[in-house]
Amino acid sequence: MQVSSSSPTAAGASTGWLRWIALLLLCAAYLQGGLVKLFDFPGAVAEMQHFGLAPAVPLAAATIALELAAPAMILLGVYRWLGALALAAFTLAATFMANRFWSAPPEAQFMLMNAFFEHLGLVGGFLLVAWHDLRSRP
């Protein structure tokens, strides 16, 4: 059976690379953050301490593991929905912890508010990835 170039099957095959690039871009900050923390573990521990998280060492290690494993799951398509939900939950928690614009000094509120809503957009993107992956399963 021949597939015409205008069929959904041909369109999906020819745009698979675009989907992968989109997923890579969605995961880029987590891959970068995980690698930076991995190669500067004392800095990762200091970040945990800055946000009042304890015990800082195991939480830094868990963050590194999440920031590297979940994007790998998404990019490789191995339990993609689970990796996406994990990053959505992580991002939502981190957003409320790190971007508390409502309690910041007035001069910091604008930037924190922008970061807060940008991170909510990332959460939405990961929820869409999870939804799409679960929906496409038999």
Side-chain angles (χ1 to χ4, degrees):
M1 175 174 124
Q2 284 241 307
V3 178
S4 74
S5 61
S6 63
S7 75
T9 304
S14 67
T15 60
W17 64 271
L18 184 60
R19 178 181 181 203
W20 195 86
I21 294 294
L23 292 172
L24 177 62
L25 292 173
L26 189 61
C27 294
Y30 303 90
L31 291 167
Q32 180 268 344
L35 289 171
V36 166
K37 288 175 184 73
L38 180 64
F39 292 113
D40 180 16
F41 193 71
V45 172
E47 183 180 28
M48 299 300 134
Q49 292 168 336
H50 170 77
F51 289 110
L53 299 172
V57 171
L59 286 173
T63 299
I64 292 167
L66 176 72
E67 287 186 330
L68 296 177
M73 293 167 70
I74 291 168
L75 294 171
L76 297 173
V78 177
Y79 292 104
R80 179 175 282 140
W81 63 271
L82 184 60
L85 288 178
L87 286 179
F90 173 78
T91 304
L92 188 61
T95 297
F96 277 94
M97 191 177 311
N99 297 308
R100 301 170 52 90
F101 66 90
W102 54 89
S103 63
E107 64 275 5
Q109 286 180 350
F110 181 77
M111 293 298 288
L112 284 172
M113 184 170 47
N114 280 346
F116 181 89
F117 286 101
E118 287 169 357
H119 283 83
L120 288 184
L122 283 170
V123 171
F126 285 121
L127 291 176
L128 280 171
V129 168
W131 171 76
H132 187 268
D133 192 54
L134 287 169
R135 186 171 172 251
S136 67
R137 295 198 175 290

